[in-house]
């Protein structure tokens, strides 16, 4: 027997529309002042702590956090509106991205009161950045293949292991990682726990991984018998897998899963003059797909706001959206007649940034093959 995905369409209200106008005006002013230039894949590769603090000062970080933690008591859909505008503009949001997107809700849901008061106000101000330690060597996208161990010692935990592809660990103030506290590796999802490890730490070594474009976003993080206090345990001991799965719904379903290359599409479309019917047709096709993906992502956001956990729909957003992002790059490269030029302004520079990033779109956040298995299992066909 197969299941279906039941999500309601979201229609923005006046408050959301006014908020969008406010964000667009801010971004126009920032661009005019030279505060940033649009980047492809900015949420992954364009980190600017000063810009993050500006967003924090305007109340656009930690939006859904309660006011008692210096949050702003806004709805997830209002946050969606702000995030969507930042992504389309290619604004430099990578510094705060992980902290604001998934660690703030995770710490609010699973953390102790001490952890909430320690981290959440800084996240809302754009002054506390996080990395996530999930992937490990030789494990591919299998998050359950955790070999990092956390052993209980006097006054805390001793953690030993290696994490790979940890975005932003070189400037993060803390890393949240998944480690085995109980059982054996064959137990898979049981016996795993999450920890918050403050950085820098004398026994945590952050080593850069340089990508093909010569940039440094990823890191290898080696924990060499790193001792952390008992209060570093996030949530319930042994419940780490359940907590991580809940975080992934936030990670996989957001607008960043289909808007990473939106600045490239926007730059191409704005340069068309109506004399190229092939280009106009392709822009139309891509725009229609973007609109469909947006409705699905918005519906997932609305479901999350209602307290539901739409894992299947979230996996669909990531699978369809990340392929769409790559199709934008390939279409522009094939049709626009522009050579990529690293460092250039406009379409040539955006294309040069997007091309080497494209293979990662379907890998990060769980490969699309893994996500299709999630969808198949959720629909009862596997």
């Amino acid at each position: 027997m197969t299941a279906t995905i039941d999500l309601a369409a979201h229609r923005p209200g006046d408050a959301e529309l006014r908020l969008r106008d406010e964000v667009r005006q801010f971004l126009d002013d920032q661009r005019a002042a030279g505060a940033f230039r649009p980047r492809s894949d900015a949420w992954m590769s364009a980190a600017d702590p000063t810009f993050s603090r500006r967003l924090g000062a305007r109340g656009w970080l930690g939006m859904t956090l309660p006011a008692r933690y210096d949050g702003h008591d806004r709805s997830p859909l209002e946050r969606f509106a702000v995030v969507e505008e930042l992504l389309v503009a290619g604004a430099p949001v990578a510094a705060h991205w992980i902290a604001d997107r998934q660690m703030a809700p995770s710490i609010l849901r699973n953390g102790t009161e001490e952890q909430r008061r320690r981290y959440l106000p800084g996240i809302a101000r754009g002054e506390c950045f996080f990395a996530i330690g999930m992937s490990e060597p030789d494990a591919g996208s299998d998050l359950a293949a955790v070999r990092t161990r956390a052993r209980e010692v006097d006054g805390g935990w001793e953690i030993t292991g290696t994490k790979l592809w940890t975005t932003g660990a070189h400037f993060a103030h803390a890393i949240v990682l998944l480690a085995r506290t109980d059982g054996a590796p064959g137990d898979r999802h049981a016996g795993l726990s999450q920890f918050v490890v403050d950085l820098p730490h004398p026994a945590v070594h952050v080593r850069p991984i340089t990508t093909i474009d010569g940039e440094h976003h990823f890191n290898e993080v080696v924990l060499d018998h790193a001792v952390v206090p008992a209060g570093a345990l996030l949530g319930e001991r042994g419940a780490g897998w359940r907590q991580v799965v809940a975080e992934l719904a936030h990670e996989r379903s957001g607008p960043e899963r289909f808007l990473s290359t939106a600045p490239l599409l926007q730059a191409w479309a704005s340069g068309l003059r109506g004399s190229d019917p092939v280009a106009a047709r392709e822009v139309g096709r891509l725009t229609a797909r973007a609109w469909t993906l947006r409705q699905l992502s918005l519906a997932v956001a609305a479901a999350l706001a209602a307290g539901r956990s739409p894992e299947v729909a979230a996996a669909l957003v990531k699978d369809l959206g990340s392929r769409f992002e790559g199709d934008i790059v390939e279409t522009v490269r094939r049709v626009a007649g522009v050579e990529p030029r690293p460092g250039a302004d406009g379409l040539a520079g955006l294309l040069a940034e997007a091309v080497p990033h494209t293979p990662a779109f379907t890998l990060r956040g769980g490969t699309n093959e893994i996500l299709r298995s999630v969808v198949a299992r959720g629909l009862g066909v596997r």
Side-chain angles (χ1 to χ4, degrees):
M1 180 177 177
T2 59
T4 58
I5 297 174
D6 179 21
L7 291 174
H10 172 70
R11 299 285 183 269
D14 291 342
E16 281 182 53
L17 296 175
R18 287 195 297 272
L19 180 59
R20 281 186 185 277
D21 289 342
E22 186 182 347
V23 177
R24 287 173 182 171
Q25 185 61 57
F26 167 78
L27 291 168
D28 287 345
D29 293 343
Q30 291 289 300
R31 272 192 298 261
F36 76 92
R37 70 171 178 84
R39 296 277 303 270
S40 293
D41 208 19
W43 66 275
M44 179 62 68
S45 58
D48 182 346
T50 300
F51 188 83
S52 295
R53 285 193 291 275
R54 288 193 194 114
L55 295 179
R58 300 186 73 89
W60 292 340
L61 298 182
M63 290 180 68
T64 61
L65 293 174
R68 64 181 179 278
Y69 302 121
D70 291 352
H72 304 283
D73 286 322
R74 307 293 288 263
S75 76
L77 293 166
E78 288 175 306
R79 180 182 178 276
F80 188 104
V82 171
V83 168
E84 195 174 45
E85 294 301 327
L86 292 169
L87 291 169
V88 170
V93 295
H96 65 264
W97 192 261
I98 292 171
D100 184 60
R101 178 183 66 181
Q102 64 200 87
M103 292 325 306
S106 177
I107 292 172
L108 181 65
R109 182 172 53 249
N110 302 311
T112 63
E113 186 61 19
E114 181 181 350
Q115 288 170 330
R116 292 170 186 158
R117 295 198 177 279
R118 179 180 177 86
Y119 297 109
L120 297 183
I123 291 174
R125 290 194 301 270
E127 297 174 353
C128 180
F129 307 139
F130 271 75
I132 293 180
M134 290 191 187
S135 299
E136 297 201 357
D138 305 318
S141 285
D142 186 0
L143 296 181
V146 171
R147 290 186 291 187
T148 297
R149 298 284 313 202
R151 183 172 66 90
E152 199 164 12
V153 296
D154 286 344
W157 297 84
E158 181 188 83
I159 306 175
T160 302
T162 300
K163 298 293 182 179
L164 276 180
W165 313 115
T166 49
T167 306
H170 52 303
F171 57 73
H173 302 94
I175 179 171
V176 173
L177 54 85
L178 189 64
R180 179 162 296 285
T181 50
D182 304 281
D187 293 336
R188 299 284 292 172
H189 301 163
L192 301 175
S193 302
Q194 283 187 299
F195 294 87
V196 181
V197 178
D198 290 339
L199 297 175
H201 185 293
V204 178
H205 309 289
V206 179
R207 299 166 179 163
I209 298 174
T210 304
T211 48
I212 194 172
D213 55 2
E215 296 201 8
H216 171 204
H217 319 300
F218 299 119
N219 301 273
E220 177 189 61
V221 178
V222 179
L223 300 106
D224 184 10
H225 302 280
V227 176
V228 298
L233 178 67
L234 178 63
E236 181 184 347
R237 175 174 178 167
W241 182 258
R242 173 172 53 79
Q243 294 172 196
V244 165
V245 169
E247 288 172 20
L248 288 175
H250 291 271
E251 180 179 348
R252 289 172 173 168
S253 63
E256 71 271 27
R257 293 306 179 187
F258 63 95
L259 291 178
S260 298
T261 52
L264 177 66
L265 177 59
Q266 190 173 52
W268 182 36
S270 65
L272 294 178
R273 294 291 179 265
S275 58
D276 186 341
V278 174
R281 183 190 64 206
E282 294 298 330
V283 167
R285 286 178 173 173
L286 292 170
T287 302
R289 288 174 64 188
W291 187 256
T292 304
L293 286 163
R294 180 173 186 267
Q295 295 308 306
L296 180 59
S297 182
L298 265 171
V300 173
L304 288 169
R308 298 169 58 191
S309 184
E311 295 171 12
V312 173
L316 268 179
V317 172
K318 201 273 181 181
D319 180 24
L320 299 174
S322 57
R323 283 188 282 154
F324 168 72
E325 292 174 329
D327 288 346
I328 289 177
V329 179
E330 175 57 22
T331 304
V332 172
R333 190 193 62 77
R334 178 170 48 84
V335 179
V338 173
E339 284 296 318
R341 282 191 291 127
D345 288 332
L347 188 59
L350 289 165
L351 184 58
E353 292 166 350
V355 168
H357 284 224
T358 300
F361 294 160
T362 59
L363 298 176
R364 59 194 184 192
T367 65
N368 284 23
E369 288 75 13
I370 293 287
L371 295 173
R372 288 167 201 162
S373 71
V374 171
V375 173
R377 190 166 50 246
L379 295 178
V381 296
R382 176 171 179 258

